[in-house]
DNA sequence: TTGAAAGCGGTACCAC
DNA sequence: GTGGTACCGCTTTCAA
């Protein structure tokens, strides 16, 4: 059924390959008489012809594939982002090649090399570490790059993200407004802009409101449930200096903190308030429903996709960092401090 | 930085392209003198050469890409499956092209055509509808196909799944053992083997145990939270013939049912027991933690990947349906019926 | 061990 | 409007 080439189609239709090629290309059909066109289409149908995208890509210089690099598909927060992306890109006939880094910058490099080898038309990176800027700049010499969610230290990259510092400030203010005087944050990998900005936002508010910050300096290796749990356990093991509220830098770590609490026989929010980040799809269904900072991930994906299309079309403006606003969603995992 | 061809490398190394090609191919290095090899490698490094996988694929007849077709990336249950797959396939240097059908068989067809056009080396389908058998058979003439999770009516496909009927029976028996005498199931799309088997398993036990089944015949269009909620609402609206326990055919629909309950001012499990299916990563953290049927999705992904590799290597046996066993995980969303 | 040249399956430019 | 042909970048025979 496969192995049918355009040559085969052309022969069956009694025309030259060049003609067959034109007849089957929507953009060049007009160069072919209606009669021939029909004959070729018929022959192609009969034979079950499928163009060889490799040959076409080799000749035309583009593939219709875009690379997407994410930290970890298991993070439910990524689903809306990917959906937003594919919505915009799929409509233009692009497919996406998704790969995971698991927060290892070496993987980012290796993946990008793979993607370059496959001659994808561009790459959307939502797994960047802050120091990946120079590397991504070299990639950007080869093909369009869009950074989603996470930015890098270096300027000059097309970036679509949201205001992490503000988000963290909203979360922290919420806790302090509830009367919590001793708070801590669970930090994600520090070389990731999202987390370092959140760390900063938290610190800013805590200082400003003269609240006691008993956070550990330790950061999670990956922002996962396991790591959140590990960090929270350490916090709880301390006899003194225990917070009454925790800001987890993402929802998965918040869930890990919930596990640690339960294990320690503590209740949320009665004994400990917890706020997460991302407002991933299922957070509202958790026990307890998680207070979280919402980030418009679907819109963000759409915008990143649009920016990629603009670069491909050559209509993109100068690289900028676009910021979407965060929003605090208050649910049952946070409550007034009991004095 | 790109556009560097092997020709460029060859020139810089002062050799013929053919020689350069051999020097850079691990499988044929031995044909080249150590000195030349080193010179070519150096030149390639200097120029930042990346092989053009299109050209190579065109010539060699394979691409190192495998297609993966899933219903919906938003389903958290898929993450472990994909991870299992990529674990096995990534180790052999394959990348995966993931596409979603959203339960529309027309999409499956279109996606497969795309994948064939891109000359992927094989396709793993976990989004099959029961009637897709003949179509997938034609695809299988072109390239290796492995069905994961869902089987089709037609025999003769390499299939890795688990025993859905048994899983549903476990869930239903659990409810009846708890004393529930009037039960209902929320059904997923009926042309999907997973769901039709679960429907059957449920019916079997209900009949055998002489329990009252008040399920609606209506099935969800997609097995999502929204649809689960819609079906559950309908069930709850009925003044009479209301069940005291619900078997939702997957976790997302169970969550939808939880929403409907809450909306109606009912509590789970006090007023209604609910059991889900898949034991997706976050179900244990839901409010209430969901009783669910566990399906070893990661192992299933690994096995599907291995089966694909075997087919590619030509070492695969005859097509069979491999069944993994399900396991009921009892949590807080189910409790004794109050008489 | 290396070079020369054909060819994978298309597209695009040039004639006619 | 159609045919001829070069060529995209690589691999692979065949000679030397």
């Amino acid at each position: 059924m496969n192995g049918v080439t355009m040559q085969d189609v052309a022969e069956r239709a009694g025309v030259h390959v060049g003609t067959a090629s034109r007849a089957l290309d929507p953009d060049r059909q007009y160069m072919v008489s209606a009669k021939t066109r029909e004959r070729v289409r018929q022959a192609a149908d009969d034979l079950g012809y499928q163009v060889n995208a490799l040959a076409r890509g080799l000749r035309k210089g583009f593939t219709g594939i875009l690379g997407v690099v994410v930290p970890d598909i298991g993070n439910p927060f990524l689903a809306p982002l990917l959906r937003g992306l594919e919505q915009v890109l799929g409509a233009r006939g692009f497919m996406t090649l998704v790969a995971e880094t698991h927060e290892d910058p070496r993987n980012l490099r290796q993946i990008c090399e793979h993607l370059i080898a496959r001659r994808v038309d561009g790459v959307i990176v939502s797994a960047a570490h802050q120091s990946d800027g120079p590397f991504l700049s070299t990639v950007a010499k080869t093909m369009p790059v869009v950074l989603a969610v996470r930015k890098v230290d270096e300027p000059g990259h097309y970036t679509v993200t949201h205001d992490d510092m503000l988000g963290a400030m909203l979360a922290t203010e919420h806790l302090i407004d509830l009367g919590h005087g001793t708070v801590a944050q669970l930090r994600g990998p520090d070389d990731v802009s999202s987390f370092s900005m959140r760390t900063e936002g938290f610190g800013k508010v805590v200082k400003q409101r003269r609240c006691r910050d008993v956070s550990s300096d330790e950061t999670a290796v990956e922002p996962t449930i396991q790591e959140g749990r590990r960090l929270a356990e350490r916090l709880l093991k301390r006899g003194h200096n225990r917070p009454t509220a925790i800001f987890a830098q993402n929802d998965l770590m918040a869930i890990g903190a919930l596990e640690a609490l339960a294990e320690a026989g503590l209740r949320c929010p009665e004994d400990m308030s917890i706020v997460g980040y991302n407002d991933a799809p299922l957070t509202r269904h958790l026990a307890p429903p998680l207070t979280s900072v919402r980030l418009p991930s679907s819109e963000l994906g759409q915008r990143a996709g649009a920016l990629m299309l603009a670069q491909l079309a050559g209509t993109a403006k100068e690289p900028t960092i676009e910021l979407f606003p965060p929003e605090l969603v208050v649910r049952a995992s946070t409550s007034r401090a009991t004095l």
Side-chain angles (χ1 to χ4, degrees), chain A residues 125-326:
Chain A
V125 179
S126 75
H129 284 225
Q130 297 196 108
S131 55
D132 287 329
F135 170 70
L136 290 171
S137 287
T138 71
V139 175
K141 281 182 190 139
T142 299
M143 57 177 148
V145 173
V146 171
L147 303 188
V149 184
R150 302 175 173 188
K151 30 183 197 175
V152 294
D153 285 336
E154 190 187 58
H157 292 270
Y158 290 93
T159 306
V160 182
T161 179
H162 91 299
D163 193 337
D164 284 286
M165 183 163 351
L166 179 55
M169 292 174 71
L170 293 176
T172 312
E173 271 166 358
H174 169 63
L175 293 177
I176 297 178
D177 287 346
L178 285 172
H180 294 281
T182 307
V183 298
Q185 61 181 336
L186 302 183
R187 298 172 57 179
D190 207 34
D191 46 351
V192 170
S193 67
S194 318
F195 300 118
S196 72
M197 299 301 282
R198 290 172 201 170
T199 297
E200 204 175 318
F202 177 87
K204 213 162 169 173
V205 171
V206 154
K207 189 171 169 198
Q208 190 179 292
R209 301 283 294 267
R210 299 171 190 228
C211 180
R212 204 149 74 100
D213 175 5
V214 297
S215 306
S216 157
D217 282 341
E218 190 177 11
T219 60
V221 176
E222 275 188 87
T224 57
I225 294 180
Q226 293 73 35
E227 283 288 286
R229 176 176 183 147
R230 185 176 65 81
L231 294 181
E233 275 168 357
R234 295 205 157 197
L235 215 50
L236 295 178
K237 263 190 203 128
R238 313 213 282 232
H240 58 299
N241 266 345
R242 265 198 356 200
T244 62
I246 290 178
F247 167 47
Q249 290 187 351
N250 82 357
D251 292 336
L252 292 179
M253 289 195 291
I255 291 173
L258 286 171
E259 287 188 3
L261 277 191
E263 184 108 324
L266 298 171
R267 293 158 308 162
C268 173
E270 293 84 351
D271 303 312
M272 179 85 72
S273 283
I274 294 187
V275 44
Y277 208 112
N278 282 353
D279 197 31
L282 293 182
T283 50
R284 50 181 298 207
H285 298 288
L286 295 176
L290 197 64
T291 296
S292 188
V293 179
R294 174 164 199 283
L295 153 178
S297 41
S298 171
E299 290 85 336
L300 220 140
Q302 289 176 35
R303 182 65 195 132
L307 212 49
M308 175 53 71
L309 292 175
Q311 281 194 72
L312 289 169
T315 62
K317 320 266 184 232
E318 286 300 285
T320 55
I321 297 181
E322 300 187 18
L323 282 189
F324 282 76

Side-chain angles (χ1 to χ4, degrees), chain A residues 47-58:
Chain A
L47 297 171
Y49 172 73
Q50 286 288 345
V51 356
N52 184 327
L54 274 62
R56 169 184 287 173
L58 179 58

